[in-house]
Amino acid sequence: MTLLPAPMYSSARGFTLIELLVVLAIVATLSMMVYPRYSQRIDMAKETTLQENLRSVRAVIDDFRGDKGRYPESLEELVEQRYLKALPLDPITESSSTWRIIAPPDGLEGAVYDLHSGAAGVTRNGRAYADW
């Protein structure tokens, strides 16, 4: 009985380092092409959400004024009186405590006449978030 020498290489097949590097380079290139569009869509969604949150809270403030004959003393009063389930988040700052409250004109009762975003910076079209 003769013994055959062991093979010098394994019969298991795998990927070489070069093949892995080529695949990683292709994935990185595709990611770099997609990311700018993805980040623009996120910014657009945040701006749209901010507009909708401001619109709905302003409508609730008007409803409160119509029902009570005065403006609310705080945004929390809108939640306590069940005009809102919860104070919405400012999607730009990702916080519900950064809203900038505008007081009513002299002679009107209450403390919350309007609200604006407390976010610094500008929108995609150059308008300041604080002006919304």
Side-chain angles (χ1 to χ4, degrees):
M1 178 183 238
T2 60
L3 294 174
L4 296 173
M8 304 261 308
Y9 59 92
S10 172
S11 63
R13 189 78 180 117
F15 295 107
T16 66
L17 181 60
I18 299 296
E19 291 170 331
L20 291 175
L21 289 175
V22 168
V23 169
L24 287 176
I26 291 170
V27 169
T29 303
L30 291 174
S31 296
M32 288 187 326
M33 290 187 322
V34 169
Y35 182 75
R37 290 189 121 179
Y38 175 73
S39 64
Q40 287 175 355
R41 293 291 181 180
I42 289 176
D43 292 342
M44 187 176 8
K46 285 183 177 183
E47 289 175 12
T48 303
T49 302
L50 175 61
Q51 285 177 331
E52 181 60 26
N53 287 351
L54 287 170
R55 187 200 60 74
S56 64
V57 173
R58 287 171 178 159
V60 166
I61 291 171
D62 291 340
D63 290 345
F64 185 94
R65 167 108 160 87
D67 292 345
K68 308 283 184 181
R70 65 177 178 84
Y71 288 101
E73 294 299 324
S74 68
L75 293 175
E76 289 76 22
E77 184 177 6
L78 296 173
V79 176
E80 292 167 3
Q81 297 287 322
R82 297 182 185 236
Y83 281 85
L84 292 171
K85 285 188 176 188
L87 195 58
L89 290 177
D90 181 338
I92 308 302
T93 62
E94 298 179 354
S95 173
S96 62
S97 63
T98 57
W99 295 112
R100 207 168 43 95
I101 296 172
I102 307 300
D106 290 336
L108 296 176
E109 291 183 49
V112 180
Y113 177 74
D114 195 7
L115 79 156
H116 295 278
S117 175
V122 295
T123 63
R124 291 174 295 119
N125 61 5
R127 188 174 170 197
Y129 289 118
D131 292 342
W132 280 15

